[in-house]
Amino acid sequence: MTHSLHRRGDVDSLKKDFLVLACTAKGYNDDVFAPLGAEFVRICARHKPVNGGDMKTGNLLYVDPEEIAQKVSSSTIIEFTFDNKQNVIDTIRELKERDLGISIVISGMIDEVNDIVEKAGLPKVHTREYSLGTHGKTKLLPEWEVLEFTTMCGHAMVASELVKKMIVESRKGRATPREAAVVMGKCCSCGNFNISRAVELLEKNAPLWTADYPVY
Amino acid sequence: MLVDETKCIGCGRCIPFCPVQARSFGRAATTGRTVVVIDRDRCAECGVCERAGVCPVDAIHQDVLEWPRQVRSILSNPLVEFKGTGIPGRGTEEIKTNEVTGRVRIGRVGVGIEVGRPGVSTRWTEVDKICRAVAKLGIEFCADNPITHFMVDKKAGILDPAVVNEVSLSAIVEFEMAEEQLPELFRILREEVDGEINTVYTFEIAARLRPDGSTTVLKKIQDAGYEMLKVSKNNLGLGRPKFREEVAP
């Protein structure tokens, strides 16, 4: 339900983190969705997404966008991740002009999304989902520095232990930040994992507790 | 998910990829060699270890899951499509298609309680507790959600006893209700759920906005003292409506 909603991070980091997705409405437009979804993929791919994909086909780290487009089906949710607001504005503007007639959703910081919608020439947001945070036995949660990575995949495909390992690999110079980010990003088949944001997080000073973290 | 003990060389490369830390080093039952073993009770059948493709000897494979264990993969592996919803993933279309379907309208809210998220996972006993608690609101659980499908009593929010001991990376309890019920929902979650569950849940409220971008829902959330995360999910209204909106927004 909320694959792209509950991302954690500081304001400056989240300002460079947007998801644009298209979704079929089952029983309403699934019979005509596939070619429209394919066009959505091609439009998004033109505006420099940092990741993206379809959970069934895979993400841009290992699949060509045209292959994703050609495999869009009547039950596909297609998602693209951006690190640049202007690229999102350009994407939404083109989607508006093309008028595909399918549902388009943006996840991002509220003020940023409002600004994107206005600059793309759209009316105000139709429906909005708010995240009220995490509750219950919160002491079970991993460290904040880990959540910043793991919450970039709403299906929880990026394991906390993998994040810790890749922080160490990057810190010790055994992988570049980009290589470490790609290892994590490949686990998120939908392509929601923002590679450039992950690189920035890895380039920050790694938390001290990772210094002694065991690495397999 | 299984590890073939006769192939595994005990390199451990797959261990950090497991989102629920169900993998560790152990002894092969037949040879006593050091291999990777899987805690089958903890394994959520998400398939990440296999898809990661890091095993140098191809020792990881997905076994055929019987009932009720197969519900683990339905809720944990996004590549498994639940036939009840016809879409991959753990929930429904929810507000992603709201301008087409009219699922959540003015005066109503969509509620999602994702149990086990982020990254903690959940046993379904905890999901059952939450379903029973919120069912007191007299709400109707979303029919196209997998959790609703596994209820034996949808009015009382009671899950099938056959599945309550299963585990998944998360499970989403979804329903719609009147906006006026929000204060009571908040009370139930705080008084009857937060201190009673052995996992976490992440919580969202969806609202149809007015043409000026406002909603009275926001004030109710703020009045209840919830600190919202900075990120939001927004339906842009670009789909063709297939319903008539009775109440002008």
Side-chain angles (χ1 to χ4, degrees):
Chain A
M1 172 175 187
T2 55
H3 190 34
S4 55
L5 177 60
H6 304 290
R7 291 153 102 93
R8 307 296 203 282
D10 61 37
V11 170
D12 288 341
S13 182
L14 290 174
K15 276 186 174 177
K16 291 179 272 189
D17 194 19
F18 304 95
L19 266 94
V20 180
L21 68 85
C23 181
T24 181
K26 197 166 179 61
Y28 295 91
N29 60 21
D30 47 342
D31 54 335
V32 297
F33 183 80
L36 300 169
E39 189 157 359
F40 169 84
V41 171
R42 293 181 183 111
I43 290 170
C44 289
R46 280 200 284 273
H47 295 285
K48 300 178 186 168
V50 294
N51 202 350
D54 154 15
M55 62 181 82
K56 291 180 178 174
T57 308
N59 69 41
L60 293 180
L61 299 174
Y62 54 94
V63 181
D64 183 81
E66 187 52 31
E67 183 181 344
I68 294 169
Q70 288 177 9
K71 290 184 176 174
V72 172
S73 73
S74 61
S75 62
T76 301
I77 300 173
I78 327 146
E79 325 188 17
F80 285 85
T81 307
F82 295 86
D83 65 352
N84 179 297
K85 185 172 165 182
Q86 187 58 49
N87 291 346
V88 182
I89 294 168
D90 294 342
T91 304
I92 299 301
R93 195 176 280 143
E94 188 171 349
L95 287 167
K96 174 185 172 246
E97 286 166 5
R98 179 59 187 83
D99 191 19
L100 298 171
I102 56 175
S103 298
I104 309 291
V105 172
I106 301 184
S107 292
M109 291 188 64
I110 293 174
D111 291 345
E112 297 296 299
V113 171
N114 286 342
D115 196 38
I116 287 167
V117 166
E118 187 179 341
K119 287 183 171 146
L122 287 177
K124 302 286 186 186
V125 165
H126 182 280
T127 307
R128 174 166 286 153
E129 195 162 70
Y130 300 94
S131 174
L132 279 65
T134 301
H135 308 272
K137 204 168 185 177
T138 51
K139 68 180 183 184
L140 297 174
L141 289 169
E143 297 82 355
W144 172 260
E145 298 89 345
V146 173
L147 282 172
E148 287 181 300
F149 292 91
T150 58
T151 57
M152 287 198 280
C153 174
H155 288 129
M157 299 287 101
V158 181
S160 299
E161 296 303 299
L162 181 65
V163 171
K164 293 172 187 172
K165 174 182 164 68
M166 298 323 297
I167 289 174
V168 174
E169 296 280 27
S170 173
R171 180 191 179 98
K172 295 194 172 175
R174 293 197 288 252
T176 66
R178 168 86 191 172
E179 288 166 343
V182 168
V183 169
M184 293 185 273
K186 282 185 175 177
C187 297
C188 169
S189 48
C190 300
N192 274 202
F193 194 84
N194 185 329
I195 291 295
S196 72
R197 183 169 169 235
V199 168
E200 281 196 5
L201 291 169
L202 287 164
E203 285 172 343
K204 287 198 311 189
N205 289 333
L208 282 176
W209 52 260
T210 60
D212 295 324
Y213 192 73
V215 176
Y216 294 114
Chain B
M1 199 58 65
L2 294 174
V3 172
D4 184 338
E5 289 184 354
T6 64
K7 288 184 176 177
C8 179
I9 56 172
C11 68
R13 288 182 201 175
C14 58
I15 290 176
F17 284 86
C18 178
V20 293
Q21 296 158 45
R23 290 171 168 265
S24 60
F25 288 113
R27 291 288 176 91
T30 49
T31 63
R33 284 190 305 114
T34 298
V35 293
V36 170
V37 295
I38 297 178
D39 180 341
R40 293 271 294 171
D41 183 52
R42 184 180 282 191
C43 173
E45 303 291 357
C46 65
V48 169
C49 53
E50 185 181 30
R51 287 195 299 279
V54 293
C55 180
V57 292
D58 197 24
I60 302 167
H61 65 275
Q62 178 69 66
D63 51 324
V64 177
L65 300 176
E66 303 291 341
W67 170 261
R69 190 174 178 87
Q70 59 192 216
V71 304
R72 296 184 183 218
S73 65
I74 290 171
L75 269 290
S76 301
N77 186 342
L79 275 63
V80 173
E81 185 174 303
F82 178 54
K83 290 184 172 52
T85 61
I87 57 170
R90 286 162 211 169
T92 67
E93 291 168 18
E94 34 93 9
I95 61 119
K96 288 197 279 288
T97 55
N98 197 42
E99 84 282 39
V100 176
T101 64
R103 189 180 184 112
V104 178
R105 305 190 187 193
I106 288 285
R108 308 279 295 171
V109 289
V111 180
I113 301 170
E114 189 160 1
V115 194
R117 183 175 179 176
V120 172
S121 78
T122 185
R123 196 166 291 278
W124 286 23
T125 47
E126 311 314 290
V127 183
D128 186 63
K129 286 177 193 170
I130 294 175
C131 290
R132 290 177 190 236
V134 299
K136 293 173 191 166
L137 289 160
I139 44 93
E140 196 166 311
F141 293 97
C142 292
D144 50 352
N145 173 292
I147 290 298
T148 308
H149 179 83
F150 294 119
M151 288 178 182
V152 290
D153 184 337
K154 293 180 173 55
K155 290 284 179 204
I158 299 171
L159 290 183
D160 184 341
V163 301
V164 291
N165 205 36
E166 296 303 324
V167 169
S168 57
L169 291 186
S170 67
I172 309 175
V173 179
E174 277 184 84
F175 51 94
E176 283 113 43
M177 63 179 199
E179 186 181 321
E180 285 67 33
Q181 291 180 286
L182 277 173
E184 181 60 6
L185 170 65
F186 297 149
R187 187 200 65 75
I188 286 173
L189 290 174
R190 283 173 165 158
E191 294 181 9
E192 301 179 28
V193 171
D194 286 2
E196 301 299 320
I197 56 170
N198 190 28
T199 185
V200 296
Y201 68 89
T202 299
F203 180 27
E204 65 263 352
I205 301 286
R208 167 78 166 102
L209 303 188
R210 294 200 181 93
D212 66 357
S214 68
T215 173
T216 50
V217 169
L218 203 49
K219 184 170 186 313
K220 290 186 173 68
I221 295 171
Q222 289 164 341
D223 286 350
Y226 278 97
E227 191 174 334
M228 293 189 298
L229 297 189
K230 305 172 190 87
V231 179
S232 64
K233 185 171 178 177
N234 305 273
N235 181 315
L236 300 185
L238 291 172
R240 305 263 188 280
K242 301 283 187 183
F243 71 102
R244 189 181 178 88
E245 200 155 32
E246 300 90 351
V247 182

